[in-house]
Amino acid sequence: MRQIECHEEEIHLCGKIQFFGFLFIFDDSGCIAASENLVELLGTPMKNILGLPMNRVLPLLSTEVEWNLVEIDKQINGEIFVRFVERIRVKEVDYYLSIYRYDRKTYLEIEICNEDHLKATRLFYYAKYLEEQHGNAWQSLTVLIRQIIGFDRVMVYRFEEDSSGQVIAESLADDMDSLIGYRYPEFDIPSQARALYTKFLARHVADIDAPTIAVQGRDAAEIDLTRCSLRALSPVHLQYLRNSGVLASASFSIVIEGKLWGLVACQNRKPLNVDLAQRHLCAFLTQYAINYYLSEHQKENLVAQTIMGVMERDLKSELLVNHDIAVVLERFAPQIMELAVADGLMIKHDRGFKTWGDVPTEQFQQQIDRYLDQLGDNELFATSNFVYDVNEAMESTIFPGIIRINILPSNTWYIYLFRKEHVYEDVWAGKPEKIYQYDPERKVEFPSPRTSFEAWREIMKGKSTKWSRSEIAFVEKVAQITQQAIAQRGGEIAQLNKELMRSNNALDTFGYTLTHDLKNPLSSIKLAAQMMLLKDDLPKDLLRKMANNIMDATTLITEMMDKVYQLTQSNSVSFKLELIDPQIKIMNIVESCKQQFGVTHLEFVLGQTLPVQAERTLLYQLFLNLIGNAIKYSSKKEQPLVEVYSEKQDNSVCYYIKDNGIGMDIQDKANIFEIFKRLPNSQAFEGSGIGLSIVKRIANRLSAKVSVESELNVGTTFCVKFKG
């Protein structure tokens, strides 16, 4: 007896469409197949339809539209998949007609329009809504799609590593129970269905109990309906929906880096059609949410990489000047453990071992080493589900999360990182088990759709939280830095150390600015572009000013990137000092920051601006951080005030940046210039604690001195003293 699996069903070759539409398929010879309900639409037998070329079919559907077949052909035969769409009226009913190319054939679909017309003006509102929901793009997406299609439930369903899925966002009718956090087993969406989701991003069924329409014609059963919006769903899928109490369904694919990351799954308890315009809008908003999610994810990665990069730099510097590797690694062990988000750390070398935090017992450590010795993996090993041989009498804490990395090749120096067991409860939408039925005629077993979706709970044990890619890469970097430091030892240590410090200073100055100071010129470009898009009648003077702002911003970005490129080519960056009057740059910074922080009522006072010896890009970044902070931290005052002025002192020029903002309670003034150092009263303002660290480094590079005076709730004054 043969057992048939879900993934063996060829759902893209079903030969049927849903009741609310009509389908033609053409090749070079003309119409080779069509849905049998076209006889009713056109009032002509099927034999009169088959064989007709498209240029004769289109006038039969509508004489009101001027069909330009050359333009249609040009649109649908491009490098990317594009539909030609036209709204037509047949027998007093409105339809969407769409034409596209696939599998060397041309498909013409006709489907009914819903009565409610979508307004293009709403698109701007939808985009703003997604952006303004404080990072929760998926939840915002479910709210918007439910508004657009009117379904009872819209949820975002994310696929996990084991290919099961979990509901992470949801919008639903008031009388429905939430499914947030519920898991669904892998076999609920078989592999061939997932493959179709990556090719065609919007699928729906208007009424699971409605009759389907057969496709007639040449090789109709073999025609590939992968990209057909009207394709009828698999009987197994329809029964699955019926069992879950759903009569209409829609889904929009979330594809990230070419892989199916998840689905926007929509369910309705009554039949309801989602027409072509609604589906296109929902698919567009889903892509917009994907881009927003990726942007936020990238920002988090940049912050994490910056923090890790600071420790890596300090470790490298220390290893080059301290010959005792064990002492250096032990000094940095707490930081390594914290940045890798581990519960414990152990360094093992030829002189013994030392631990920090919580680590396994000696007996468990021996089990780890025996397993890895048998595995022969001496470089890097990482797992979140290490299985110990546990005696029932043992009450020790379990550490399934392990990273072990070899610090010195051909040696027994290792760093171990440990994570404790993470016990949690999984809630499944029905028990995750596959049930088979027997077909006596075919003498085969086939999978039966699940009938229960009630919460089924399972306690998950034996695993830790998974190590992220960035955490593993960070540990690898620690080992790499250690190995490079040892390799660079020898007669050139003093010279290497000198070059390293010079390179680090340049790297500090420009590396952090890629995620910090570039925001300002990019904001200028964005604001100018938005104004140009939103207003069609801008005066020429204003357009010229905005164009100049864009040119200045792009020039600045280019200069910054040029210096970063220099870093990749050499150990240092050469800076050209010149006499600069910063007045114009200061005014540009003020105008940009007023927009960035929404301080249009700012009172700005600019005093005397004396020229100083500096490098243009560095000077801009220095004033950008100091003036930007002054505007930001005074932005919540009723009458925010910022002053910038300079004065001559002996052979020096002093610039003062003064504000009436929140001020600082600073007992040790040097601490505020430490990277990622943020004072308690600044937590309500956006920031990462990098800005003043950049100011300090730039001042050092320009041989300037920076000082600060501040009083809590009164204001702050920074002074930058440049050499004459």
Side-chain angles (χ1 to χ4, degrees):
M1 179 177 62
R2 183 169 179 263
Q3 192 176 77
I4 296 177
E5 296 293 340
C6 284
H7 64 262
E8 297 180 87
E9 185 181 13
E10 295 181 319
I11 57 179
H12 62 300
L13 303 177
C14 63
K16 294 182 179 181
I17 66 169
Q18 297 184 59
F19 69 95
F20 55 83
F22 309 88
L23 177 66
F24 298 86
I25 300 102
F26 300 87
D27 67 7
D28 294 338
S29 65
C31 181
I32 61 171
S35 58
E36 60 184 17
N37 58 351
L38 278 168
V39 174
E40 304 169 12
L41 183 72
L42 299 178
T44 185
M46 182 64 70
K47 64 180 181 179
N48 294 343
I49 298 173
L50 296 176
L52 287 178
M54 187 182 294
N55 62 355
R56 290 184 58 189
V57 169
L58 290 173
L60 295 176
L61 297 170
S62 175
T63 57
E64 297 177 1
V65 178
E66 293 185 7
W67 302 105
N68 188 332
L69 290 176
V70 174
E71 287 301 317
I72 293 174
D73 188 67
K74 186 185 298 183
Q75 182 172 325
I76 66 175
N77 282 296
E79 294 183 1
I80 60 175
F81 178 78
V82 176
R83 286 175 182 253
F84 167 82
V85 178
E86 185 72 48
R87 193 181 178 103
I88 64 172
R89 191 169 182 82
V90 183
K91 296 180 179 179
E92 305 303 317
V93 178
D94 288 330
Y95 295 95
Y96 285 115
L97 178 148
S98 62
I99 304 172
Y100 58 92
R101 289 280 296 173
Y102 182 67
D103 192 32
R104 297 186 299 278
K105 299 177 183 68
T106 301
Y107 293 70
L108 190 158
E109 296 181 17
I110 305 166
E111 61 173 280
I112 198 163
C113 299
N114 287 345
E115 293 181 3
D116 296 331
H117 297 295
L118 290 172
K119 295 181 179 180
T121 53
R122 298 284 288 172
L123 191 58
F124 179 74
Y125 156 74
Y126 292 141
K128 291 299 291 181
Y129 184 84
L130 282 172
E131 289 180 357
E132 292 173 355
Q133 297 307 302
H134 307 294
N136 197 350
W138 301 128
Q139 179 60 35
S140 305
L141 181 64
T142 64
V143 172
L144 292 180
I145 289 182
R146 188 160 175 261
Q147 282 184 16
I148 294 165
I149 66 176
F151 270 40
D152 293 324
R153 185 196 306 274
V154 176
M155 55 186 176
V156 171
Y157 174 95
R158 179 185 63 201
F159 292 117
E160 307 295 338
E161 286 187 356
D162 60 0
S163 294
S164 67
Q166 185 171 33
V167 179
I168 61 170
E170 178 186 52
S171 179
L172 70 166
D174 293 338
D175 61 340
M176 299 182 76
D177 294 328
S178 174
L179 297 178
I180 285 285
Y182 276 44
R183 297 274 302 278
Y184 288 78
E186 174 189 6
F187 50 76
D188 273 16
I189 305 178
S191 58
Q192 83 276 36
R194 296 179 192 232
L196 287 184
Y197 279 126
T198 61
K199 295 179 181 178
F200 194 57
L201 305 183
R203 292 291 306 139
H204 79 298
V205 56
D207 184 353
I208 65 171
D209 292 325
T212 55
I213 311 299
V215 177
Q216 297 182 10
R218 190 175 78 206
D219 300 325
E222 299 300 317
I223 290 177
D224 191 338
L225 298 180
T226 292
R227 292 191 180 274
C228 180
S229 301
L230 305 173
R231 175 173 61 85
L233 270 65
S234 154
V236 175
H237 188 181
L238 293 175
Q239 187 60 48
Y240 177 90
L241 295 173
R242 192 174 290 113
N243 292 348
S244 63
V246 173
L247 293 184
S249 171
S251 59
F252 305 97
S253 305
I254 301 174
V255 179
I256 297 178
E257 295 180 350
K259 296 181 180 179
L260 189 63
W261 184 92
L263 291 173
V264 182
C266 314
Q267 301 174 344
N268 206 57
R269 291 168 289 188
K270 294 182 180 180
L272 184 59
N273 183 43
V274 182
D275 72 16
L276 183 66
Q278 291 174 310
R279 297 198 306 276
H280 280 187
L281 177 56
C282 291
F284 172 81
L285 291 177
T286 299
Q287 186 58 52
Y288 196 94
I290 290 170
N291 293 339
Y292 188 82
Y293 164 80
L294 290 174
S295 173
E296 292 299 305
H297 191 61
Q298 183 65 14
K299 287 179 185 176
E300 293 174 6
N301 284 342
L302 285 172
V303 171
Q305 290 170 12
T306 302
I307 295 171
M308 290 177 179
V310 172
M311 199 227 77
E312 291 168 2
R313 179 208 68 201
D314 293 342
L315 174 62
K316 183 184 289 187
S317 299
E318 191 71 22
L319 284 168
L320 284 173
V321 297
N322 193 326
H323 286 260
D324 196 328
I325 298 172
V327 170
V328 175
L329 290 177
E330 289 171 7
R331 185 180 304 164
F332 282 88
Q335 285 180 262
I336 296 172
M337 185 175 75
E338 181 181 357
L339 292 174
V341 197
D343 294 308
L345 181 146
M346 178 171 68
I347 296 177
K348 183 181 288 187
H349 45 73
D350 53 4
R351 285 179 282 176
F353 67 92
K354 191 170 182 179
T355 65
W356 292 261
D358 298 324
V359 300
T361 63
E362 185 176 351
Q363 182 178 347
F364 282 165
Q365 291 174 26
Q366 291 172 356
Q367 289 186 30
I368 295 169
D369 287 336
R370 279 199 301 269
Y371 173 79
L372 294 180
D373 289 343
Q374 294 171 1
L375 194 65
D377 191 341
N378 291 321
E379 296 300 322
L380 172 68
F381 174 79
T383 182
S384 59
N385 58 347
F386 188 85
V387 179
Y388 294 91
D389 181 12
V390 181
N391 189 310
E392 292 184 2
M394 297 174 63
E395 297 182 358
S396 303
T397 303
I398 300 296
F399 292 83
I402 300 169
I403 292 179
R404 189 185 83 167
I405 190 161
N406 186 212
I407 292 296
L408 295 179
S410 305
N411 209 317
T412 55
W413 282 55
Y414 294 101
I415 289 182
Y416 297 74
L417 291 159
F418 303 104
R419 278 183 181 168
K420 296 178 182 178
E421 180 183 40
H422 176 55
V423 180
Y424 62 97
E425 182 182 65
D426 253 345
V427 182
W428 294 83
K431 190 173 182 179
E433 58 180 350
K434 190 180 288 189
I435 301 172
Y436 289 87
Q437 290 184 353
Y438 178 66
D439 183 343
E441 293 185 6
R442 295 187 294 166
K443 296 182 180 181
V444 296
E445 282 190 335
F446 63 95
S448 173
R450 293 192 295 125
T451 56
S452 173
F453 292 86
E454 293 185 4
W456 185 82
R457 302 176 185 278
E458 180 182 21
I459 301 299
M460 304 300 293
K461 295 182 177 181
K463 294 183 179 181
S464 71
T465 54
K466 184 176 172 58
W467 304 101
S468 70
R469 290 181 182 178
S470 61
E471 289 162 351
I472 295 174
F474 166 66
V475 176
E476 287 183 297
K477 188 68 173 177
V478 169
Q480 181 185 3
I481 288 171
T482 306
Q483 293 164 14
Q484 288 176 347
I486 295 171
Q488 291 175 0
R489 289 252 179 88
E492 299 178 4
I493 285 183
Q495 181 61 30
L496 283 172
N497 189 40
K498 181 179 178 181
E499 293 296 325
L500 175 67
M501 297 306 295
R502 186 189 307 164
S503 177
N504 281 342
N505 285 336
L507 181 62
D508 289 349
T509 300
F510 287 101
Y512 301 130
T513 60
L514 286 179
T515 55
H516 189 270
D517 290 351
L518 285 178
K519 293 179 182 177
N520 189 273
L522 287 173
S523 294
S524 297
I525 295 172
K526 181 180 178 182
L527 288 169
Q530 286 177 337
M531 187 173 294
M532 291 177 183
L533 285 173
L534 293 174
K535 295 184 179 182
D536 295 327
D537 55 347
L538 292 172
K540 288 186 177 180
D541 289 344
L542 183 55
L543 281 172
R544 188 176 294 106
K545 181 179 179 182
M546 289 190 293
N548 286 331
N549 287 343
I550 292 174
M551 290 298 295
D552 289 344
T554 53
T555 300
L556 178 65
I557 292 172
T558 302
E559 290 174 355
M560 289 185 182
M561 297 306 295
D562 284 344
K563 289 184 172 57
V564 173
Y565 176 73
Q566 289 179 41
L567 278 175
T568 67
Q569 304 299 310
S570 64
N571 290 329
S572 63
V573 177
S574 58
F575 296 111
K576 179 184 177 182
L577 297 179
E578 55 184 309
L579 195 62
I580 300 172
D581 183 352
Q583 181 176 346
I584 295 176
K585 291 296 183 185
I586 290 172
M587 294 304 301
N588 288 342
I589 289 169
V590 171
E591 288 302 316
S592 178
C593 289
K594 282 168 64 177
Q595 296 294 328
Q596 181 181 352
F597 300 115
V599 199
T600 55
H601 59 302
L602 173 74
E603 180 183 354
F604 176 70
V605 179
L606 181 63
Q608 179 180 223
T609 56
L610 297 171
V612 294
Q613 284 286 341
E615 193 276 336
R616 289 189 176 278
T617 307
L618 289 180
L619 188 64
Y620 174 87
Q621 292 170 246
L622 185 143
F623 280 121
L624 171 63
N625 282 284
L626 290 177
I627 296 173
N629 278 353
I631 294 175
K632 176 169 66 173
Y633 291 120
S634 61
S635 61
K636 296 184 180 180
K637 294 282 187 174
E638 288 186 10
Q639 295 180 324
L641 171 65
V642 173
E643 297 178 60
V644 177
Y645 59 95
S646 64
E647 61 183 32
K648 191 80 171 176
Q649 290 186 7
D650 299 326
N651 293 325
S652 302
V653 174
C654 296
Y655 265 82
Y656 296 90
I657 298 91
K658 185 177 181 181
D659 66 70
N660 66 341
I662 61 173
M664 297 178 282
D665 182 11
I666 45 175
Q667 297 177 357
D668 185 353
K669 296 177 183 178
N671 281 345
I672 68 168
F673 296 103
E674 292 180 5
I675 192 163
F676 308 118
K677 183 73 174 180
R678 301 201 73 201
L679 297 175
N681 65 331
S682 67
Q683 300 304 313
F685 296 81
E686 179 187 358
S688 58
I690 293 176
L692 290 183
S693 175
I694 293 174
V695 168
K696 183 66 173 176
R697 287 173 169 84
I698 290 174
N700 291 341
R701 291 289 284 157
L702 298 177
S703 299
K705 293 182 179 179
V706 59
S707 58
V708 59
E709 296 293 335
S710 185
E711 185 175 350
L712 199 61
N713 297 321
V714 174
T716 302
T717 300
F718 279 90
C719 173
V720 184
K721 190 173 184 179
F722 297 91
K723 286 187 177 180

